[in-house]
Every structure is written in structure tokens, then in C-alpha cells.
Amino acid sequence: MDRRSFITRAGIVTAAAATGTACSSTPKGGEPAPLNVAKSNTRFGNPLPTEAQLGANGKLHKTPGIRTMYTRCFTCNNMCGLRVRIDEASDKVLKVGGNPYCEMNSGSPLPLSMPVRDSYAALAGNTGLENRATTCGKGASGVGCVDDPRRVTQVLKRVGKRGEGKWKSISYEQALTEILEGGDLFGEGHVDGLKAIRQLDKPAVPGYPEFGSAANRLLATFGEEDTLRGSLYARFMRQAYGTVNLVTKHAYCGAPTGIGYGIGLAPGLEPGLGDIDWDNVEYAMFLGTAPSASGASLNLLGRNLADARVERNLKYTSVDPLLRTEVANDTRAQWLPIRPGRDAAFMMALMQVMFAENWFNAEFLAIPNADAAKAAGEVNHSNASHLVVTDAKHKDHTLFAKASDFGVGGDEAMVVENGKLVSANLAKKADLFVDGLFTDVNGNQVQLTSSLALLKAQANQAPLASLSADCGIQQSQIKQAARDLTHHGRKATVVTNSGANSGDAIMVGWLVSTMNTLIGSHDAKGGTLYANGAYWGFEGNYNLGGFDGELDVSADINICRSGAYEDSTEYKQKVAKGENPYPASDMWHNLVAGYASFNAAEALTAHTNANPYTAKALFNWRSNALYSAASISNDVEKALVDTDKLPLFVAIDCYMNETNRYADYFIPDRVMYEEYAADRMWGAFKLGVVAGAPLVTPRTPKNAKGQHICMEQFMIDMAMAMDLPGFGKGAIPAADGRKVDLLTFEDWHSRYLANIAGQCSKLPEVSDEDREWAALEYSMAPLRPRLTGEEVAKVEALLSRGGYYEEAERYDGDFINGGGGKFLQIYNADMAQLRHCHSGERYPGVPSYEAKRFWNGDTWEQHWPEKEFPLLFSNYKPTLRSNYSAAFDRCAEVTPQNFVYMNIDTAAEMGLTDGDKVRVVSGNGTPAEGVLQADSGVAKGSVCVSHCFGHKKAYGADTRIIDGKVIEGIARRGGGTAVNQMIPADPTRPGKVSMLNDYYAGTNCRQGIPVRVEKA
Ligand code: SF4
């Protein structure tokens, strides 16, 4: 056999099946014999048993003793599909690959109508390469997570001081009782249990009704991206227990850019983010990132980028402080080394060139309404031509001028068409650059300016030379980038993600969506892609969204002060006294409040400051704010240790991390291969859901009733013990009039999956052969008794393919099928109505480029002068690391540590050389130490360090004592440098501790931080 045919045939039916080894194990009758790997005596280790084997009769057979199932990956938040191989005898996960039905894993996903057996055949032989379904390195490394030696598999109670790492194992029932009832639990005095904390008739803060009831003093964190499991947690916390303080990671993750992007995408203020239509894109710009380094699935992006480079000679530019491997040699890739946190300067410069050269899609921008768009063959339109009242004395200043006030229509906006004022609803092709005095119905002259004119003025605020110097990119390069972006018609796009999260992340996100508006690429073939969405399981045969007696806490202001300051008691009292209500006494989050400021790190910061109150209990499920949030203070850690300040801390997780190691009680939880899943996918085109069921026996212990302990069981048992609504017998109303129970883990998941499957209209019919090949007997056994026959058939179909991926034509003419309907906002009037809670000034209506500012308006430079902190820091996600992958041995082996990256010339100027041990020092953060790597792949004046390293006290790198037995830490899991506590806090915010935020949204920033680097 030559090398080519060997490789071609070695697909999923591994090399063993195509070589003498497999042949020799194939009996004459064609059926394969079980592979006994344990007895294999090979020189270089034992090959894994294959998923399937080709019999001598040329037919594919399941390998006896091997179960393979399609499910979803939760190693990072992208949620790709997975194909997982399990050894049935040992109940162990052997190998992880991709799901060939799922768009995230395969460039040519198989149709759902293809039987499961055929999907395995398609992965082998001559079609193996074409149908290859991959998973990224960190996803594949999850193989060891079930039997990880440092996984928490007992119910634990601390025996030393918080965080000392000393525990004793206790029964689940003891933990449940103590957590609910409280008492002198640790010999340190009385602790209120959850029952006592739930005082719905008492205020959290007397005299300030906006903060709701005292039940809000239960603070709960969670990883919200897991919708299926997270929805049960939220049901307990918000609807049953009644706390508003259910907080998550968005604000210190991707929310800043998403919020900004959304401001330009639609009226109102909702987050959003675009992807790339890889199938036809000709030019792409990656801002603050590199393709496949962050954002949508690494699987998807890596494959699409490779295809686009090879098949269509894609031109792309990575505007990034760090040159990453994805910007490959011998391609049409370009790296523009930008100074960290200067993305807005670059975007403004780009826009300035585009306006100067008339390089924007004027035809598209001139369309003022949806009807005119339709008539012109467009799917979107914008408010580029709409007129804003720019007369500061006018009642509608900063709003769109009303057509009725000028006698040309009703409440709608106006434009100028053919030199005349016209209702924006009636015009067809409006003037784009308008700025002048117009006479209203009362004969008053009013200054009106079109949205695009306001944007152009903003783009021209600073000279190109100054913007160029600020971002570190030469003017000639800026002009070339502007040319590239605007000379591919609509087959071009700009994308970004958390790489641009500096003090102006909102502006950067907004500028990116605005740029895509200027070139008309939203929803265009080859332009900016928006996913067709996902299915959620709250409605259907079972009502999982609400229940009798549920509490509604949506009007409460949470501990982070998410909401408008103008609605607060403090504001009203100041106004009543005739005082200037600004500044507020503390930060309020009024921009996309529900998304930006249900922030676990800000919540812990508020708790530390005891403002507006402290938490009496903290529940931390799958969350690690102390490690993951940039600029979180060491004092927050101290506040978690302080049992007077935080009397009760309960962790629910499979691993110990930097936050939950301070818990009083630790409830073990399921890992991703032991849970049900039904989630959205980032970056997918298809409407769909990635789904899965437990693949192996959970390693968590059982409770007295014989149920595996996990988050859901714990929530259910607590709720029932407290007699809370929404849990227990008959807690879930069914559409057929029944009331079904919510007593167990499976009670929730079976109904959620049934609701999802019920919406998937084109699920295939499952055959007996599918059942065998998808191991449905295994996955359906706990679900079957809880579902009707019809529901069983649908859920079987859903799980057999690892989800549902609706087939659809990708394009409708020149646009992406399913896209369109957007009213794009060059000027966002809703944004312009908000006021900053310190200055009282209105937010801008078009994106702006400003010096980085603290909460009180001081510039960063005033507190952190360039002389003292001459470098700018940038932080990025490495491809092989995510939160949980720190515990994956393969990730630790391949990338044992990170480095402090600097440009070789910059390092030399600082007297540093490659390999030096260095210290990164910021204004008021805790210095981070690491090893310097100096080369020319870093922007001058920058320091880049990756996230997800330096877990010295977590994920098994910690030494812990359980029941008197010392369990040594695994040092390699803690390799490298952690940087988030190096990132300084805002020195102008009130309170002992603070965080560094975007000026407008109050989301956390991690880029463009002024630092210096010195020898350690
Ligand atoms: S990109 Fe994330 S979700 Fe997808 S396979 Fe990799 S780790 Fe898993």
C-alpha cells in the first residue's frame, strides 16, 4: 500500500483497520472480533480500539465493546459538536473527535437524513477526507476530564479556615441540611442558612426600595452559556428563591464589544456581533485578533480560513499587537501591528480615509426606509440620511427631528431629498451629508444634521497623522487597508472580539458595525454573516419558562446597580432637595443593563465594598470570577475569606478553581460528558442546536436516594426542602393538561429536550440500526419513562445526530438567506439619551474616539503617566487553553507555560533580553512575573501575555487535604503567568475596591493597559 492510500483509508476507521493488525482480527465471516487492547503487545504503546471496522465483506461493523455517541463540547463557549468513543467495559472515554453532521466540525456537514451507520462510513475510505469532522486541540484534550485525579468527587466541608485547602468529606444530606438550616456550622459562631436569608418581606437596603428584598443577599454566580443546565439554576435562584443577584461572566468576557456592535445594528440598545460569510468573502479584517484565535469556533474558523486561503486566495489583514500563526506566510495575509487598546484610533483613521476618498457605499446609505430598500433590491437600510436635531436649545436636541414639526409628516424622522425636507418614510434616495438651518411649522430656524454628516465630522476630529501615531500604524498602511476594505464590493467585512476590550471597547464594537454599514456588507453574500439562531426549550409540550407562584424580580436593581441612576432613590432625593444629582455616589450601569452588569466580578466588588450591601451567602456554580475577571482586586479575595463579611459560601463544580477554593461546602458536579446538552453554536450559519446526553456513568457520588449528586439535584432538593414553588411533584405543567414532576436531574432535561425536539420540524425517523449506532439505548434509558411515545421518537432523533441542523439554501440572490430586515444605525438616538452617572453628560450618538477615561472623567494618563508606564499591555486567548482545559493533561503538556512577549527592539530599549525573568507592573494592580520572549512578532511598545495560565492554586495544581490525607498539587497545571490581577483598577471610583471599566458600559477592560516591564 502506498502512503497516499494508507492515509486516505486511515480516517475514522483507523490505520489499524487498514493494516495487517485489523485484518488479522477479522474472521472469515466478515464480522470483526472484539479487539482486546489490554493484551496487545506493541512496541510503541497500544492503539485505541477503533469506532468501527471494515469487515472482510467490505461492510462497516461497530467495534464490539465500543460505544460511540454524538454530543457537544463545553471546553469553551463555542459549543461545537463531538463524536466521543467510549470503552464499555471500563466505562471510560477513549477519544474525542468531531460530529460530521455538525457545521462546527465539518466543512461539508452530512444531511440529517443520512443514517448514523452511514455517517461513520462517510468518515472512512475515499470519502474520509471530504467528510472529515474535526475538533480543536483543547476540545480533543478533554478526554481525561471524567477520570481526572484532581476532580472533586466527594461532598466536602471545610475544616480549616477558608481557602486553607483542608476539607472533610460529609454526606450530601448533611450538607443539604446545614446549608439550608444554618447554625454554628464551623465552630466560629452562628451562620444563617438559606431559609433564614430568604426574607421576602424585608428590604435588602432599608430606605432604598429599588434594591428589592433581603432575599437578594443570596448572591449566585454561574456560567450562563450552558442554557439547558443554567436554566434550572436560574429557575431556582430567580423565580423560586427570589434573588435578583444571579450574575455571570459576560461583562468581563465578550459583552463590551458585543454591546458596542449592537448599538450600530438596530434602534434601541441590544447586543449583537457579526461573523464572516466564509464561502464568498474576498477580504476580511480582524481587529484585535487573528482569524481562529478568538470569537467563533476554532474548528469552524480554522477550516474556513484554510479553505478561503487556498480556494479563493482570500486577502486578509490582522490588526493585532501580536503576530499569530494564523497569519500565514505565502498567503495574502497581512499583519498590522497595532498598539494595544488603540483600535478606535485605527478605525477612525480608516473611516477618515474612506470619507476623504468617497470609498463607501453611497447608493446603499442613501436608502432611508424599508420600502425603498425593497424596491432597490436591498435587504437592509440605514438612518445615514436621517436628520438629527443638533440645536442644543431645541426640545428634541440629540433626537431625530420629527416630520410633523416641519410639516412633512408624523412622528417619523425626516431626510432631505432633491433639496427638500421629506418624511423618511416616503423618500427613496436621500442626501447623505446635510447640515443646515431648517424652518419648522412655528417659523423657527432649527439646526439639523444628517447622521452621516455627524459621523464624518467625528471621523475628522483628529488629523490622520495623529491617529496614525496613536495606533502605531503608518498612514500609508491605513490608506491601503481602507482601499482593501472598500474595493471588494460587499464581499468584505471587519470582525472583532474581546481583543479590543479596552476603556473604549463599546466604541470599538460600534465602529466595527458602522464600518460594515458603510460598505453595505451586513447580510451580504461574502460579507457579514449573522447566525440563523438556535432553539430554546422553555416552551412546547412542557412549560419550563414559568410556574404558579414564581417570583418576578425583574424590577429589582441588582448589587452591581444595573439600571438608570435617574430612577434611583438617591437621584430623586437630590433632585427633591434642589441639588445637582450628579455625580452619583457610585457607578450605575445603564447601558444594556441586563447584559453588561449582571457581572459576577462587579457583584463581588460591591460585596467587598459593602455597597449597597454585602452578600449573606454566595453560590458559585461553574464560575471563576477571581481568576477570569481583569482588574479584580486581591481585596475581593480577602473579602471571600472573611466569614463575618460572607457567612456562607457554597461551591458547585467538578474542579476546584481560584474562586470556589474559598467555599465552605463543595458539591461535586457532572463534567461535560456526563450531562445533557442543547445549546446554540457561535458562528454557525444554520438554524440549529447542538445536543447530547451523558456518555458515561457520572463519577459524582450518590445521595441517600441513589441519585448522582450534581447541581440540578441539589437545586431540586433544596427547593423541595424549603417548599419553594416550581419544584417537586406536579411542578411542570404539560400542554396536554398533565402536571409532571420535577424531582430529579432527568425530570428537567427530558422535558427540555422534548420541547427542543418538538420544534425541529425535519428530524429524521430513527431506525433500529440508528439506535444501535448512536447508542440510544444507553442515552434514552433515563429519558424514556418520562416522555410520551411521540416525544421519545423525536428526542431519539435529536440525540442520534448530536443535534439538529436545519438545511437551508445559503443565499438568496446577493444576500444571505434568512438575513436582512436590519435598520442600521449610523446615529443611535437611544444611546444619545443616556447620561453618564458621574458627569451627567449625554452619551454620544455616533461612535467617537476619546482619551481613555476613568469613572470621574480623569484620563488614564493623569494617573498612569507614560513616563512611568511607557508600554501598553495586551491579553489574548491562546488556542489550546480555556477555563477548564487547565486541568487537561494534554493541554498542559503541549503548552506548559505562557510568555511575556515584547518586541525585540522595545525589550532592548528597556535593557531586557529574551529569556529574562521579568515583572509586569501597572498603576495599582498586583505585578505579574513571567519569562520574556522578545522577537519581531510583537508591536513596538507593547507587552502581550496570554490568558488561561498561572493557575497556581486551582484545577489540581493546588495541594489539598481531604479527611487528613494530603493530595499533592500537580505542578504542571499551574505553569505560566496569570495576568488579571496585574490589570489595575479605576482609582477614582468610590469604595475600597474597584474595577477598570469601559467609560460608558462599565464592562471590564483588559487591553491597552499602561505598564512597565522590569527585570524580576
Ligand atoms: S472550539 Fe471550543 S467548543 Fe469547539 S471543539 Fe474547540 S474547545 Fe470545544
Side-chain angles (χ1 to χ4, degrees):
M1 180 184 299
D2 63 23
R3 180 180 148 77
R4 185 177 170 78
S5 16
F6 176 87
I7 291 170
T8 306
R9 290 170 63 177
I12 189 65
V13 180
T14 65
T19 61
T21 314
C23 292
S24 62
S25 69
T26 305
K28 287 197 175 96
E31 290 285 332
L35 287 179
N36 193 337
V37 174
K39 289 188 184 157
S40 169
N41 190 20
T42 58
R43 188 172 161 196
F44 299 110
N46 298 323
L48 290 172
T50 55
E51 293 162 340
Q53 300 169 53
L54 279 173
N57 56 5
K59 259 185 98 181
L60 200 62
H61 300 274
K62 275 188 85 219
T63 301
I66 295 300
R67 183 168 72 240
T68 311
M69 297 164 78
Y70 292 133
T71 185
R72 75 95 167 83
C73 182
F74 194 38
T75 302
C76 79
N77 291 323
N78 285 308
M79 316 280 194
C80 300
L82 287 185
R83 179 179 84 246
V84 181
R85 196 184 312 172
I86 300 124
D87 177 55
E88 291 190 307
S90 63
D91 196 27
K92 282 187 188 298
V93 173
L94 297 179
K95 194 170 190 306
V96 175
N99 176 352
Y101 290 108
C102 178
E103 179 187 355
M104 310 300 277
N105 305 100
S106 170
S108 49
L110 302 176
L112 293 183
S113 56
M114 180 180 281
V116 182
R117 176 197 188 118
D118 293 359
S119 72
Y120 285 93
L123 288 165
N126 291 334
T127 55
L129 273 182
E130 187 188 325
N131 296 318
R132 190 170 48 167
T134 57
T135 179
C136 81
K138 58 185 184 287
S141 301
V143 70
C145 72
V146 175
D147 293 303
D148 185 287
R150 295 297 181 271
R151 180 178 167 187
V152 178
T153 52
Q154 295 153 291
V155 179
L156 300 175
K157 178 180 179 180
R158 73 171 165 93
V159 288
K161 292 204 170 115
R162 277 200 189 141
E164 274 190 346
K166 292 183 188 157
W167 306 88
K168 67 175 175 183
S169 55
I170 60 170
S171 73
Y172 173 79
E173 289 69 25
Q174 181 188 340
L176 189 68
T177 304
E178 292 184 6
I179 290 164
L180 291 176
E181 305 296 337
D184 186 5
L185 303 174
F186 307 97
E188 298 165 352
H190 178 82
V191 176
D192 275 353
L194 281 205
K195 283 185 182 174
I197 295 168
R198 188 174 183 258
Q199 296 180 308
L200 295 168
D201 54 350
K202 295 222 170 95
V205 187
Y208 293 83
E210 64 266 37
F211 292 115
S213 83
N216 289 334
R217 296 185 70 179
L218 168 62
L219 173 58
T221 68
F222 76 142
E224 196 186 9
E225 305 287 356
D226 176 351
T227 325
L228 174 51
R229 301 193 67 194
S231 58
L232 190 276
Y233 190 73
R235 180 183 177 99
F236 175 89
M237 293 298 170
R238 291 176 69 98
Q239 293 161 279
Y241 191 89
T243 177
V244 70
N245 285 317
L246 174 60
V247 289
T248 186
K249 52 93 196 167
H250 300 323
Y252 51 85
C253 190
T257 329
I259 290 168
Y261 195 94
I263 299 170
L265 212 52
L269 300 164
E270 292 290 333
L273 210 53
D275 283 304
I276 299 172
D277 178 24
W278 285 100
D279 283 10
N280 273 284
V281 66
E282 291 180 2
Y283 176 79
M285 181 180 285
F286 299 85
L287 187 69
T289 181
S292 81
S294 74
S297 159
L298 179 55
N299 280 324
L300 186 86
L301 289 185
R303 186 183 60 245
N304 284 336
L305 174 66
D307 288 349
R309 281 200 294 227
V310 173
E311 289 166 11
R312 289 197 319 288
N313 208 12
L314 172 76
K315 187 167 191 180
Y316 61 104
T317 305
S318 176
V319 189
D320 192 0
L322 186 68
L323 173 61
R324 310 194 213 191
T325 50
E326 294 84 359
V327 185
N329 272 337
D330 300 326
T331 68
R332 301 218 300 155
Q334 186 193 20
W335 174 49
L336 293 182
I338 191 169
R339 296 175 73 214
R342 297 296 187 263
D343 308 88
F346 173 73
M347 293 305 274
M348 277 295 174
L350 210 61
M351 209 152 64
Q352 195 177 114
V353 174
M354 286 163 64
F355 280 123
E357 302 286 348
N358 281 324
W359 287 344
F360 53 86
N361 192 332
E363 286 283 310
F364 169 66
L365 294 170
I367 297 171
N369 58 61
D371 288 342
K374 199 170 172 199
E378 296 283 351
V379 297
N380 299 318
H381 70 287
S382 79
N383 65 10
S385 57
H386 293 202
L387 300 176
V388 180
V389 178
T390 44
D391 182 338
K393 294 197 190 89
H394 194 276
K395 68 177 173 57
D396 287 340
H397 179 226
T398 72
L399 290 167
F400 286 105
K402 279 195 199 119
S404 56
D405 288 348
F406 292 80
V408 295
D411 281 350
E412 73 275 13
M414 290 184 303
V415 298
V416 171
E417 187 175 42
N418 300 323
K420 285 192 192 144
L421 282 180
V422 184
S423 155
N425 291 350
L426 300 177
K428 293 189 171 48
K429 191 174 174 191
D431 292 359
L432 288 175
F433 297 102
V434 178
D435 185 23
L437 289 170
F438 294 85
T439 309
D440 69 11
V441 288
N442 298 318
N444 298 319
Q445 296 270 291
V446 183
Q447 185 79 30
L448 303 180
T449 312
S450 65
S451 298
L452 201 64
L454 288 171
L455 182 67
K456 184 176 177 181
Q458 195 58 250
N460 288 327
Q461 284 260 317
L464 190 62
S466 136
L467 292 169
S468 161
D470 226 359
C471 68
I473 298 175
Q474 294 166 18
Q475 291 185 50
S476 59
Q477 292 175 313
I478 292 168
K479 285 179 183 163
Q480 184 58 46
R483 174 181 281 280
D484 288 338
L485 180 64
T486 54
H487 284 68
H488 292 270
R490 292 172 160 188
K491 294 188 173 180
T493 187
V494 188
V495 290
T496 188
N497 210 293
S498 54
N501 283 1
S502 191
D504 56 358
I506 302 303
M507 291 300 160
V508 176
W510 193 359
L511 281 162
V512 171
S513 60
T514 300
M515 203 60 87
N516 289 329
T517 301
L518 292 178
I519 61 173
S521 82
H522 296 283
D523 299 306
K525 182 178 185 177
T528 312
L529 174 102
Y530 298 90
N532 275 311
Y535 291 105
W536 312 109
F538 298 104
E539 290 172 1
N541 285 357
Y542 304 96
N543 179 1
L544 300 182
F547 49 86
D548 288 345
E550 70 176 308
L551 297 170
D552 180 3
V553 292
S554 57
D556 290 4
I557 295 295
N558 74 0
I559 193 169
C560 310
R561 290 187 164 88
S562 62
Y565 166 57
E566 291 75 10
D567 293 336
S568 71
T569 303
E570 177 189 334
Y571 178 93
K572 288 173 192 158
Q573 285 174 346
K574 284 181 179 169
V575 170
K577 284 190 217 156
E579 295 172 5
N580 178 357
Y582 300 99
S585 64
D586 209 328
M587 180 182 269
W588 284 73
H589 300 82
N590 58 355
L591 180 55
V592 199
Y595 190 65
S597 60
F598 280 78
N599 176 343
E602 280 281 350
L604 294 178
T605 297
H607 161 80
T608 304
N609 286 332
N611 185 1
Y613 47 83
T614 56
K616 284 187 151 191
L618 170 64
F619 269 58
N620 190 75
W621 174 57
R622 271 186 172 175
S623 173
N624 189 12
L626 273 193
Y627 177 84
S628 304
S631 83
I632 194 156
S633 163
N634 283 328
D635 284 319
V636 174
E637 199 166 347
K638 286 181 198 148
L640 293 188
V641 178
D642 184 344
T643 52
D644 290 332
K645 191 161 217 164
L646 177 67
L648 182 63
F649 184 174
V650 179
I652 310 166
D653 213 319
C654 43
Y655 295 108
M656 280 198 191
N657 63 36
E658 281 82 351
T659 307
N660 66 27
R661 63 190 300 274
Y662 293 106
D664 299 317
Y665 295 90
F666 208 111
I667 307 295
D669 195 27
R670 295 174 181 241
V671 298
M672 62 180 159
Y673 303 143
E674 299 166 351
E675 64 190 14
Y676 293 96
D679 292 298
R680 53 85 191 135
M681 298 154 282
W682 275 346
F685 160 72
K686 293 181 181 179
L687 171 65
V689 61
V690 55
L695 312 173
V696 292
T697 310
R699 304 309 197 246
T700 57
K702 289 183 176 175
N703 63 17
K705 290 187 191 152
Q707 300 154 325
H708 278 285
I709 296 164
C710 58
M711 180 276 290
E712 291 88 338
Q713 201 57 56
F714 188 50
M715 294 297 123
I716 292 166
D717 291 340
M718 283 198 302
M720 291 203 302
M722 296 175 74
D723 209 16
L724 299 183
F727 291 82
K729 284 209 84 60
I732 300 173
D736 60 8
R738 287 176 300 140
K739 291 211 161 183
V740 300
D741 299 340
L742 180 48
L743 302 168
T744 67
F745 171 78
E746 290 85 2
D747 283 343
W748 181 256
H749 295 298
S750 55
R751 277 67 189 233
Y752 193 100
L753 288 172
N755 279 354
I756 293 239
Q759 299 170 62
C760 303
S761 56
K762 293 176 196 151
L763 279 170
E765 218 165 279
V766 172
S767 66
D768 283 345
E769 190 183 71
D770 283 339
R771 284 192 185 90
E772 186 198 345
W773 279 78
L776 290 180
E777 281 315 306
Y778 185 89
S779 54
M780 290 300 297
L783 305 178
R784 208 180 291 277
R786 293 169 168 85
L787 300 175
T788 66
E790 196 181 325
E791 290 165 353
V792 164
K794 287 187 171 166
V795 174
E796 278 191 324
L798 182 74
L799 294 179
S800 71
R801 270 64 171 177
Y804 180 71
Y805 313 100
E806 187 140 330
E807 294 295 332
E809 287 295 326
R810 194 169 176 96
Y811 301 109
D812 183 0
D814 289 335
F815 296 95
I816 293 163
N817 202 4
K822 293 183 177 61
F823 179 22
L824 301 160
Q825 306 284 289
I826 293 286
Y827 179 91
N828 190 311
D830 288 319
M831 177 77 173
Q833 303 319 300
L834 301 177
R835 288 183 188 274
H836 194 273
C837 67
H838 189 282
S839 69
E841 286 173 13
R842 285 184 194 277
Y843 289 2
V846 291
S848 58
Y849 177 57
E850 303 160 1
K852 304 281 190 302
R853 280 185 284 171
F854 295 117
W855 181 64
N856 78 346
D858 287 0
T859 63
W860 286 13
E861 172 68 22
Q862 280 173 270
H863 292 255
W864 303 328
E866 193 177 341
K867 241 174 134 186
E868 212 179 321
F869 303 104
L871 306 172
L872 293 174
F873 175 81
S874 168
N875 184 221
Y876 66 97
K877 283 185 201 161
T879 47
L880 267 181
R881 290 276 175 149
S882 66
N883 298 352
Y884 282 108
S885 74
F888 298 171
D889 283 337
R890 288 181 189 174
C891 288
E893 280 162 19
V894 178
T895 55
Q897 70 173 99
N898 56 353
F899 293 92
V900 177
Y901 289 112
M902 282 176 74
N903 182 280
I904 196 160
D905 296 337
T906 308
E909 281 166 27
M910 309 274 152
L912 303 169
T913 48
D914 197 46
D916 278 352
K917 199 156 185 228
V918 293
R919 184 181 301 122
V920 185
V921 184
S922 68
N924 59 31
T926 307
E929 291 193 357
V931 177
L932 178 70
Q933 190 161 320
D935 57 37
S936 51
V938 190
K940 290 191 175 172
S942 310
V943 185
C944 301
V945 185
S946 68
H947 184 43
C948 299
F949 285 86
H951 288 285
K952 304 283 184 248
K953 298 187 226 165
Y955 297 106
D958 56 302
T959 294
R960 57 187 86 139
I961 300 171
I962 300 179
D963 296 332
K965 189 173 162 216
V966 178
I967 300 166
E968 293 292 345
I970 301 171
R972 70 169 176 270
R973 293 190 180 182
T977 303
V979 288
N980 276 337
Q981 293 191 332
M982 180 278 293
I983 294 175
D986 180 341
T988 74
R989 282 178 59 180
K992 186 177 180 197
V993 293
S994 156
M995 301 195 81
L996 188 63
N997 299 104
D998 177 277
Y999 182 71
Y1000 296 101
T1003 49
N1004 302 127
C1005 44
R1006 58 173 71 242
Q1007 312 291 5
I1009 311 297
V1011 296
R1012 66 171 177 270
V1013 177
E1014 53 196 32
K1015 265 192 190 161

